[in-house]
């Protein structure tokens, strides 16, 4: 299958007034088209740095990043980013928020507007198109934020702990919604989380990073029988085996 993201021997040093921080060491990872990959690792190990490098927000100190090898140099516009806060602007309606990425890219064509309206409709937000974000539930806001990200038709979606501001019940429901939309749109996604269950329930593969400087400790392919939605996947018989392996791997002393 076509590779969308390819990281080869990525290293990253941050230079600050107080000295040098080695964040990443020798990170190699390929993500195929339509794949959902999660990255887990200890707090501060370099997870967000990996996403920043894929998004070209940070330059790697060494190694090579390739986004859609056949479209070199166009990687920048093809990245969709979703963060913990939904960053919806309170003074814009849901539809205006969803169109914002296109407006900023001077790309608000009729076709793109149609795509946004279809997405709003498909994912049950059309009734709220003229509503303001504060009239929406937390889950609906995250859905609106995802639609804004999808509006630019990105090749890859980067999700940096997008559910961590939500309470547990909402979080379960929203991760089901977000997973459904991403799979339904056949998008490639990379999710950073420190929640092992969330990683297993949502992903085709889970990448475990070591503590800083992050190296790839292990990559698990997740195979769950009768797999459906993330909620249903949590009930699969193999789930607890993966959980135990990942938990041990994360808490192992090096
Ligand atoms: P994680 O997302 O796994 O918690 P980060 O990627 O945010 O970790 O950070 C990894 C390390 O790099 C941390 O020690 C952090 O303090 C440092 N770091 C992250 N961003 C910067 C930056 N812009 N400048 C300097 N140091 C940074
Ligand atoms: Mg982070």
């Amino acid at each position: 299958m076509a590779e969308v993201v390819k990281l080869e021997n990525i290293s990253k040093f941050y230079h600050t007034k107080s000295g040098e921080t080695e964040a990443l060491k020798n990170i190699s990872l390929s993500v195929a088209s339509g794949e959902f990959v999660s990255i887990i690792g200890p707090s501060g190990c370099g997870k967000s740095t990996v996403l920043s490098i894929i998004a070209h927000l940070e330059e790697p100190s060494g190694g090579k990043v390739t986004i859609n090898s056949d479209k070199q140099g166009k990687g920048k516009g093809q990245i969709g980013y979703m963060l913990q806060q939904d960053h919806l602007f309170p003074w814009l309606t849901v539809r205006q928020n969803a169109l914002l990425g296109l407006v900023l890219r001077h790309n608000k064509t009729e076709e793109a507007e149609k795509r946004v309206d279809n997405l709003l409709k498909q994912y049950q937000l059309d009734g709220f198109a003229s509503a303001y974000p504060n009239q929406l539930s937390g889950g609906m806001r995250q859905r609106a934020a995802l639609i804004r990200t999808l509006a630019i038709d990105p090749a890859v979606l980067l999700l940096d702990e997008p559910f961590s501001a939500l309470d547990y019940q909402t979080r379960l429901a929203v991760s089901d919604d977000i997973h459904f939309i991403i799979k339904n749109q056949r998008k490639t996604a990379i999710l950073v989380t420190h929640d092992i269950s969330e990683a297993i329930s949502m992903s085709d593969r889970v990448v475990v990073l070591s503590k800083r400087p992050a190296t790839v400790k292990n990559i698990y392919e997740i195979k769950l029988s009768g797999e459906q939605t993330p909620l249903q996947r949590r009930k699969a018989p193999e789930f607890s085996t993966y959980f135990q392996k990942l938990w041990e791997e994360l808490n192992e002393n090096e």
Side-chain angles (χ1 to χ4, degrees), residues 9-81:
N9 300 314
I10 298 295
S11 63
K12 177 66 184 177
F13 291 88
Y14 286 111
H15 303 278
T16 59
K17 270 179 256 168
S18 52
E20 192 181 66
T21 304
E22 186 179 13
L24 308 179
K25 190 175 182 170
N26 232 354
I27 301 275
S28 293
L29 175 68
S30 286
V31 181
S33 177
E35 207 183 3
F36 198 120
V37 171
S38 286
I39 298 176
I40 61 174
S43 165
C45 78
K47 300 181 294 298
S48 297
T49 301
V50 174
L51 296 190
S52 301
I53 285 175
I54 295 171
H56 296 284
L57 296 173
E58 289 284 350
E59 281 300 310
S61 310
K64 197 173 155 204
V65 188
T66 318
I67 311 292
N68 269 353
S69 52
D70 54 337
K71 294 178 192 164
Q72 260 171 6
K74 290 191 186 167
K76 220 169 185 168
Q78 298 178 58
I79 309 290
Y81 225 125

Coordinates of all heavy atoms in Angstrom, one line a residue, residues 9-81:
N9 N 15.3 7.7 10.2 CA 16.4 8.1 11.1 C 16.3 9.6 11.6 O 17.3 10.3 11.6 CB 17.7 7.9 10.5 CG 17.9 6.4 10.1 OD1 17.6 5.5 10.9 ND2 18.3 6.2 8.9
I10 N 15.1 9.9 12.1 CA 14.9 11.3 12.5 C 15.5 11.6 13.9 O 15.3 10.8 14.8 CB 13.4 11.7 12.6 CG1 12.7 11.5 11.2 CG2 13.2 13.0 13.2 CD1 13.2 12.5 10.2
S11 N 16.3 12.6 14.0 CA 16.8 13.1 15.3 C 16.4 14.5 15.4 O 16.2 15.2 14.5 CB 18.3 12.9 15.4 OG 19.0 13.8 14.4
K12 N 16.3 14.9 16.7 CA 15.9 16.3 17.0 C 16.5 16.8 18.3 O 16.4 16.2 19.3 CB 14.4 16.4 17.1 CG 13.9 17.8 17.4 CD 14.1 18.8 16.3 CE 13.7 20.2 16.7 NZ 14.0 21.2 15.7
F13 N 17.3 17.9 18.1 CA 17.8 18.6 19.3 C 17.1 20.0 19.4 O 17.0 20.6 18.4 CB 19.3 18.8 19.2 CG 20.1 17.6 19.2 CD1 20.4 16.8 18.1 CD2 20.7 17.1 20.4 CE1 21.1 15.6 18.1 CE2 21.4 16.0 20.5 CZ 21.7 15.2 19.4
Y14 N 16.7 20.4 20.6 CA 16.2 21.7 20.8 C 17.3 22.5 21.4 O 17.9 22.0 22.4 CB 15.0 21.7 21.7 CG 13.7 21.3 21.1 CD1 13.1 20.1 21.5 CD2 13.0 22.0 20.1 CE1 11.9 19.6 20.9 CE2 11.8 21.6 19.5 CZ 11.3 20.4 20.0 OH 10.1 19.9 19.4
H15 N 17.6 23.7 20.9 CA 18.6 24.5 21.5 C 18.0 25.7 22.2 O 17.2 26.4 21.6 CB 19.6 25.0 20.5 CG 20.3 23.9 19.7 ND1 21.3 23.2 20.2 CD2 19.9 23.3 18.6 CE1 21.7 22.2 19.4 NE2 20.8 22.3 18.4
T16 N 18.2 25.8 23.5 CA 17.6 26.9 24.3 C 18.7 27.6 25.1 O 19.9 27.1 25.1 CB 16.5 26.4 25.3 OG1 17.1 25.4 26.2 CG2 15.4 25.7 24.6
K17 N 18.4 28.7 25.7 CA 19.4 29.4 26.5 C 20.0 28.5 27.6 O 21.2 28.6 27.9 CB 18.7 30.7 27.1 CG 18.8 31.9 26.2 CD 18.1 33.1 26.9 CE 16.8 33.3 26.2 NZ 15.9 34.2 26.9
S18 N 19.2 27.7 28.2 CA 19.7 26.8 29.3 C 20.4 25.6 28.8 O 20.8 24.8 29.6 CB 18.5 26.5 30.2 OG 17.5 25.9 29.4
G19 N 20.5 25.4 27.5 CA 21.2 24.3 27.0 C 20.5 23.5 25.8 O 19.7 24.1 25.2
E20 N 20.9 22.3 25.7 CA 20.5 21.5 24.6 C 19.6 20.3 25.1 O 20.0 19.7 26.0 CB 21.7 20.9 23.9 CG 21.4 20.3 22.5 CD 22.7 19.8 21.9 OE1 23.3 18.8 22.4 OE2 23.2 20.4 20.9
T21 N 18.5 20.1 24.4 CA 17.6 19.0 24.8 C 17.6 18.0 23.6 O 17.2 18.4 22.5 CB 16.2 19.4 25.0 OG1 16.2 20.4 26.1 CG2 15.3 18.3 25.5
E22 N 18.0 16.8 23.8 CA 17.8 15.8 22.8 C 16.4 15.2 22.9 O 16.1 14.5 23.9 CB 18.9 14.7 22.9 CG 18.9 13.7 21.7 CD 20.0 12.6 21.8 OE1 20.6 12.5 22.9 OE2 20.2 12.0 20.8
A23 N 15.6 15.5 21.9 CA 14.2 15.0 22.0 C 14.0 13.7 21.3 O 13.3 12.8 21.8 CB 13.2 16.1 21.4
L24 N 14.5 13.6 20.1 CA 14.3 12.3 19.3 C 15.6 11.7 18.8 O 16.6 12.5 18.5 CB 13.5 12.6 18.0 CG 12.1 13.4 18.2 CD1 11.4 13.6 16.8 CD2 11.2 12.6 19.1
K25 N 15.7 10.4 18.8 CA 16.9 9.8 18.4 C 16.6 8.6 17.4 O 15.8 7.7 17.8 CB 17.6 9.2 19.6 CG 19.0 8.7 19.4 CD 19.5 8.3 20.8 CE 20.9 7.8 20.7 NZ 21.6 7.6 22.0
N26 N 17.0 8.8 16.2 CA 16.9 7.6 15.3 C 15.4 7.1 15.1 O 15.2 5.9 15.1 CB 17.7 6.5 15.8 CG 18.7 6.0 14.7 OD1 18.6 6.4 13.6 ND2 19.5 5.1 15.1
I27 N 14.5 8.0 14.9 CA 13.1 7.6 14.7 C 12.8 7.2 13.3 O 12.9 8.1 12.4 CB 12.1 8.7 15.2 CG1 12.3 9.0 16.6 CG2 10.6 8.3 14.9 CD1 11.6 8.2 17.7
S28 N 12.4 6.0 13.0 CA 12.0 5.6 11.7 C 10.6 5.0 11.8 O 10.3 4.2 12.7 CB 12.9 4.5 11.1 OG 14.2 5.1 10.9
L29 N 9.7 5.4 10.8 CA 8.3 5.0 10.9 C 7.7 5.3 9.5 O 7.9 6.3 8.9 CB 7.6 5.8 12.0 CG 6.1 5.6 12.1 CD1 5.8 4.2 12.6 CD2 5.5 6.6 13.0
S30 N 6.9 4.3 9.0 CA 6.2 4.5 7.8 C 4.7 4.3 8.1 O 4.3 3.4 8.8 CB 6.6 3.5 6.7 OG 7.8 3.8 6.2
V31 N 3.9 5.2 7.5 CA 2.5 5.1 7.7 C 1.8 5.0 6.3 O 2.0 5.8 5.5 CB 1.9 6.3 8.5 CG1 0.4 6.1 8.7 CG2 2.6 6.4 9.9
A32 N 1.0 3.9 6.2 CA 0.4 3.6 4.8 C -0.9 4.4 4.7 O -1.5 4.8 5.7 CB 0.2 2.1 4.7
S33 N -1.3 4.6 3.5 CA -2.6 5.2 3.2 C -3.7 4.6 3.8 O -3.9 3.3 3.8 CB -2.7 5.2 1.6 OG -4.0 5.8 1.3
G34 N -4.5 5.3 4.6 CA -5.7 4.8 5.2 C -5.5 4.2 6.6 O -6.4 3.7 7.2
E35 N -4.2 4.2 7.0 CA -3.9 3.5 8.2 C -4.1 4.5 9.4 O -4.0 5.7 9.2 CB -2.4 3.1 8.2 CG -2.0 2.0 9.1 CD -0.6 1.6 9.1 OE1 0.3 2.3 8.5 OE2 -0.2 0.6 9.8
F36 N -4.4 3.9 10.6 CA -4.6 4.7 11.8 C -3.5 4.2 12.7 O -3.5 3.1 13.2 CB -6.0 4.4 12.4 CG -6.4 5.5 13.4 CD1 -7.5 6.3 13.2 CD2 -5.6 5.7 14.5 CE1 -7.9 7.2 14.1 CE2 -6.0 6.7 15.4 CZ -7.1 7.4 15.2
V37 N -2.5 5.1 13.0 CA -1.4 4.7 13.9 C -1.4 5.6 15.1 O -1.7 6.8 15.1 CB -0.1 4.9 13.1 CG1 1.1 4.8 14.1 CG2 0.0 3.9 12.0
S38 N -1.2 5.0 16.3 CA -1.1 5.7 17.5 C 0.3 5.7 18.0 O 1.0 4.7 17.8 CB -2.0 5.1 18.6 OG -3.4 5.4 18.4
I39 N 0.7 6.8 18.7 CA 2.0 6.9 19.3 C 1.8 7.1 20.8 O 1.1 8.0 21.2 CB 2.8 8.1 18.7 CG1 3.0 7.9 17.2 CG2 4.1 8.3 19.4 CD1 3.7 9.0 16.5
I40 N 2.4 6.2 21.6 CA 2.3 6.3 23.0 C 3.7 6.4 23.6 O 4.7 5.9 22.9 CB 1.5 5.2 23.7 CG1 2.1 3.9 23.5 CG2 0.0 5.2 23.3 CD1 1.4 2.8 24.3
G41 N 3.9 7.0 24.7 CA 5.2 7.1 25.3 C 5.1 8.0 26.6 O 4.1 8.7 26.7
P42 N 6.1 7.9 27.4 CA 6.1 8.7 28.7 C 5.9 10.2 28.4 O 6.3 10.7 27.3 CB 7.4 8.4 29.3 CG 8.0 7.3 28.6 CD 7.4 7.2 27.3
S43 N 5.4 10.9 29.3 CA 5.2 12.3 29.2 C 6.5 13.0 29.0 O 7.5 12.7 29.6 CB 4.5 12.8 30.5 OG 4.6 14.2 30.6
G44 N 6.6 13.9 28.0 CA 7.8 14.7 27.7 C 8.8 13.9 26.9 O 10.0 14.4 26.8
C45 N 8.5 12.8 26.4 CA 9.5 12.0 25.7 C 9.7 12.5 24.3 O 10.8 12.2 23.7 CB 9.1 10.5 25.7 SG 7.8 10.0 24.4
G46 N 8.8 13.2 23.7 CA 9.0 13.7 22.3 C 7.9 13.4 21.3 O 8.0 13.5 20.1
K47 N 6.7 13.0 21.8 CA 5.6 12.6 21.0 C 5.1 13.8 20.1 O 5.0 13.6 18.9 CB 4.4 12.1 21.8 CG 4.8 10.9 22.7 CD 3.6 10.4 23.5 CE 3.1 11.3 24.6 NZ 4.1 11.6 25.6
S48 N 4.9 14.9 20.8 CA 4.4 16.1 20.0 C 5.5 16.5 19.0 O 5.2 17.0 17.9 CB 4.1 17.2 21.0 OG 3.0 16.8 21.8
T49 N 6.7 16.4 19.4 CA 7.8 16.7 18.5 C 7.8 15.9 17.2 O 8.0 16.4 16.1 CB 9.2 16.5 19.2 OG1 9.2 17.3 20.3 CG2 10.4 16.9 18.3
V50 N 7.4 14.6 17.3 CA 7.3 13.8 16.1 C 6.2 14.4 15.2 O 6.4 14.5 14.0 CB 6.9 12.3 16.5 CG1 6.6 11.5 15.2 CG2 8.0 11.7 17.3
L51 N 5.1 14.8 15.8 CA 4.0 15.4 14.9 C 4.5 16.7 14.3 O 4.2 17.0 13.2 CB 2.7 15.6 15.7 CG 2.0 14.3 16.3 CD1 0.7 14.6 16.8 CD2 1.9 13.2 15.2
S52 N 5.1 17.5 15.1 CA 5.6 18.8 14.6 C 6.5 18.7 13.4 O 6.5 19.5 12.5 CB 6.4 19.6 15.7 OG 5.5 19.8 16.8
I53 N 7.3 17.6 13.5 CA 8.3 17.4 12.4 C 7.5 16.9 11.1 O 7.8 17.3 10.0 CB 9.4 16.4 12.8 CG1 10.4 17.2 13.7 CG2 10.1 15.8 11.6 CD1 11.4 16.4 14.4
I54 N 6.5 16.0 11.3 CA 5.7 15.6 10.2 C 5.0 16.8 9.6 O 4.9 16.9 8.3 CB 4.7 14.5 10.6 CG1 5.5 13.2 11.1 CG2 3.7 14.1 9.5 CD1 4.6 12.2 11.7
A55 N 4.5 17.7 10.4 CA 3.8 18.9 9.9 C 4.7 20.0 9.4 O 4.2 21.0 9.0 CB 2.9 19.4 11.0
H56 N 6.0 19.7 9.4 CA 7.0 20.7 9.0 C 7.0 22.0 9.9 O 7.3 23.1 9.4 CB 6.8 21.1 7.5 CG 7.0 20.0 6.6 ND1 8.3 19.6 6.2 CD2 6.2 19.2 5.9 CE1 8.2 18.6 5.4 NE2 6.9 18.3 5.2
L57 N 6.5 21.9 11.1 CA 6.5 23.0 12.0 C 7.8 23.1 12.7 O 8.3 24.1 13.2 CB 5.4 22.9 13.1 CG 3.9 22.9 12.6 CD1 3.0 22.6 13.7 CD2 3.6 24.2 11.9
E58 N 8.5 22.0 12.7 CA 9.9 21.9 13.2 C 10.8 21.2 12.2 O 10.3 20.2 11.6 CB 10.0 21.1 14.6 CG 9.3 21.8 15.8 CD 10.2 22.9 16.4 OE1 11.4 23.0 16.0 OE2 9.7 23.6 17.2
E59 N 12.0 21.6 12.1 CA 12.9 20.9 11.2 C 13.6 19.8 12.0 O 14.0 20.1 13.1 CB 14.0 21.9 10.7 CG 13.5 22.8 9.6 CD 13.1 22.0 8.3 OE1 13.9 21.1 7.9 OE2 12.0 22.2 7.8
P60 N 13.8 18.7 11.4 CA 14.6 17.7 12.1 C 16.0 18.1 12.2 O 16.5 18.8 11.3 CB 14.3 16.4 11.3 CG 13.9 16.8 10.0 CD 13.3 18.2 10.1
S61 N 16.8 17.6 13.2 CA 18.2 17.9 13.2 C 19.0 16.9 12.3 O 20.0 17.2 11.8 CB 18.8 17.8 14.6 OG 18.0 18.5 15.5
G62 N 18.4 15.8 12.1 CA 18.9 14.8 11.1 C 17.9 13.9 10.6 O 16.8 13.8 11.2
G63 N 18.1 13.2 9.5 CA 17.1 12.3 9.0 C 16.2 12.9 7.9 O 16.4 14.1 7.6
K64 N 15.3 12.2 7.5 CA 14.5 12.6 6.3 C 13.0 12.4 6.6 O 12.6 11.3 7.1 CB 15.0 11.8 5.1 CG 14.5 12.3 3.8 CD 15.2 11.5 2.7 CE 14.4 11.6 1.4 NZ 14.6 10.5 0.5
V65 N 12.2 13.4 6.2 CA 10.7 13.2 6.3 C 10.1 13.3 4.9 O 10.5 14.2 4.1 CB 10.1 14.4 7.0 CG1 8.6 14.2 7.3 CG2 10.8 14.7 8.3
T66 N 9.3 12.3 4.5 CA 8.7 12.3 3.2 C 7.2 12.2 3.4 O 6.7 11.3 4.1 CB 9.2 11.2 2.3 OG1 10.6 11.0 2.5 CG2 8.9 11.4 0.9
I67 N 6.4 13.1 2.8 CA 5.0 13.0 2.8 C 4.5 12.8 1.4 O 4.9 13.6 0.5 CB 4.3 14.4 3.3 CG1 5.0 14.9 4.6 CG2 2.8 14.2 3.4 CD1 4.7 14.1 5.8
N68 N 3.8 11.7 1.1 CA 3.4 11.4 -0.2 C 4.5 11.5 -1.3 O 4.5 12.5 -2.1 CB 2.2 12.3 -0.7 CG 0.9 11.7 -0.3 OD1 0.8 10.5 0.1 ND2 -0.2 12.4 -0.5
S69 N 5.4 10.5 -1.3 CA 6.6 10.6 -2.1 C 6.5 11.2 -3.5 O 7.3 11.8 -4.0 CB 7.2 9.2 -2.1 OG 6.2 8.3 -2.6
D70 N 5.3 11.0 -4.1 CA 5.1 11.4 -5.5 C 4.8 12.9 -5.6 O 4.7 13.5 -6.6 CB 4.0 10.6 -6.1 CG 2.7 10.5 -5.4 OD1 2.8 10.8 -4.2 OD2 1.7 10.3 -6.0
K71 N 4.5 13.5 -4.4 CA 4.2 14.9 -4.5 C 5.1 15.7 -3.6 O 4.7 16.5 -2.7 CB 2.7 15.2 -4.0 CG 1.7 14.5 -4.8 CD 0.3 14.8 -4.2 CE -0.7 13.9 -4.9 NZ -2.0 13.8 -4.1
Q72 N 6.4 15.6 -3.9 CA 7.4 16.2 -3.0 C 7.3 17.7 -2.9 O 7.0 18.3 -3.9 CB 8.8 15.8 -3.5 CG 9.3 14.7 -2.6 CD 10.6 14.1 -3.2 OE1 11.1 14.7 -4.1 NE2 11.1 13.1 -2.6
G73 N 7.5 18.2 -1.7 CA 7.5 19.7 -1.6 C 6.1 20.2 -1.3 O 5.9 21.3 -0.9
K74 N 5.1 19.4 -1.6 CA 3.7 19.9 -1.3 C 3.2 19.4 0.0 O 2.0 19.6 0.3 CB 2.8 19.4 -2.4 CG 3.0 20.1 -3.8 CD 1.9 19.7 -4.7 CE 2.2 20.3 -6.1 NZ 1.3 19.7 -7.1
G75 N 4.1 18.8 0.8 CA 3.6 18.2 2.1 C 3.0 19.2 3.0 O 2.0 18.8 3.7
K76 N 3.4 20.4 3.0 CA 2.9 21.4 4.0 C 1.4 21.5 4.0 O 0.8 21.5 5.0 CB 3.5 22.7 3.7 CG 4.0 23.5 4.9 CD 4.8 24.6 4.6 CE 5.4 25.3 5.8 NZ 6.4 26.3 5.5
G77 N 0.8 21.8 2.8 CA -0.6 22.0 2.8 C -1.5 20.7 3.0 O -2.7 20.8 3.1
Q78 N -0.8 19.6 3.0 CA -1.5 18.4 3.1 C -1.7 17.8 4.5 O -2.1 16.7 4.7 CB -0.8 17.3 2.2 CG -0.8 17.7 0.8 CD 0.0 16.6 0.0 OE1 -0.4 15.5 0.0 NE2 1.0 17.0 -0.6
I79 N -1.3 18.6 5.5 CA -1.3 18.1 6.8 C -2.5 18.7 7.6 O -2.7 19.9 7.5 CB 0.0 18.5 7.6 CG1 1.2 18.1 6.8 CG2 0.0 17.9 9.0 CD1 1.5 16.6 6.7
G80 N -3.3 17.9 8.2 CA -4.4 18.4 9.1 C -4.0 18.2 10.5 O -3.6 17.1 10.9
Y81 N -4.2 19.2 11.4 CA -3.8 19.1 12.8 C -5.0 19.2 13.7 O -5.7 20.2 13.5 CB -2.8 20.2 13.0 CG -1.5 19.8 13.8 CD1 -0.3 20.1 13.3 CD2 -1.6 19.2 15.0 CE1 0.9 19.7 14.0 CE2 -0.5 18.8 15.7 CZ 0.8 19.1 15.2 OH 1.9 18.7 15.9

